[in-house]
Amino acid sequence: MNDLEQHTDILSLIRVRMSGLSKGHKRIAEYILANYEKCAFLTAAKLGEVVGVSESTAVRFPAALGFSGYPEFQKALEDILQEKIHSFDRIDVLNSHMTTNMVVNNVMSMDARKIEHTLKSFDTASFDMAVEDIMAAESVYIIGARSCEH
């Protein structure tokens, strides 16, 4: 089993591999550990620019961690965020580093992946049962949070 399989998230993998990284890769790693929320949506070129290394150094960084390429690495960062940051919060976090169009494209892409995952794992029988239970219920309580509360 390699380091990529042993560590449940990319941040712990970066910490484990940090001592063996080149100077440029260490700069990227340190920036990611401090700003992973922003990095999930940065291109390799933008990450290199922000950190002060070349785009090619940023492109090679994921391979130093054991990833097949930048897209797989970026997906690992996105996975962390999917649990921690609500879609509306993502827009605020990214505003300083991305154009409006980039923010919209990234948020929509993540939402599309979530919808695709839901469709693949959708259980029609369970859904039908839930609808029947709701329809038969004497009372139904609805609770909302964040943007739902307005």
Side-chain angles (χ1 to χ4, degrees):
M1 182 180 293
N2 64 33
D3 279 350
L4 198 54
E5 294 167 340
Q6 287 177 333
H7 297 282
T8 57
D9 69 64
I10 189 171
L11 301 179
S12 66
L13 178 63
I14 289 171
R15 287 183 195 99
V16 166
R17 294 274 182 100
M18 181 75 87
S19 64
L21 297 176
S22 69
K23 183 179 175 185
H25 287 171
K26 280 184 183 175
R27 288 175 67 180
I28 294 171
E30 289 167 354
Y31 184 79
I32 290 170
L33 290 173
N35 303 283
Y36 69 91
E37 308 91 355
K38 298 173 187 174
C39 296
F41 304 102
L42 297 178
T43 62
K46 188 67 177 176
L47 177 61
E49 178 185 322
V50 170
V51 176
V53 299
S54 69
E55 179 180 356
S56 60
T57 299
V59 168
R60 288 190 304 268
F61 177 73
L65 298 177
F67 289 94
S68 63
Y70 198 83
E72 183 186 18
F73 160 76
Q74 204 169 25
K75 173 76 171 82
L77 286 172
E78 288 175 13
D79 288 347
I80 294 171
L81 292 181
Q82 285 182 353
E83 297 299 320
K84 295 187 179 186
I85 299 179
H86 188 270
S87 293
F88 295 111
D89 297 333
R90 284 194 295 252
I91 293 170
D92 290 338
V93 167
L94 300 171
N95 252 349
S96 63
H97 289 88
M98 300 179 77
T99 66
T100 301
N101 194 36
M102 290 169 73
V103 171
V104 169
N105 286 339
N106 281 312
V107 170
M108 295 295 208
S109 292
M110 286 182 74
D111 289 346
R113 282 195 297 276
K114 288 178 185 176
I115 291 169
E116 185 177 320
H117 173 74
T118 301
L119 286 172
K120 286 179 181 174
S121 61
F122 189 75
D123 179 3
T124 306
S126 294
F127 179 78
D128 290 342
M129 253 178 32
V131 169
E132 287 176 24
D133 288 346
I134 291 170
M135 297 297 290
E138 193 171 311
S139 298
V140 176
Y141 298 95
I142 300 172
I143 299 173
R146 294 188 181 190
S147 62
C148 298
E149 61 187 325
H150 298 287

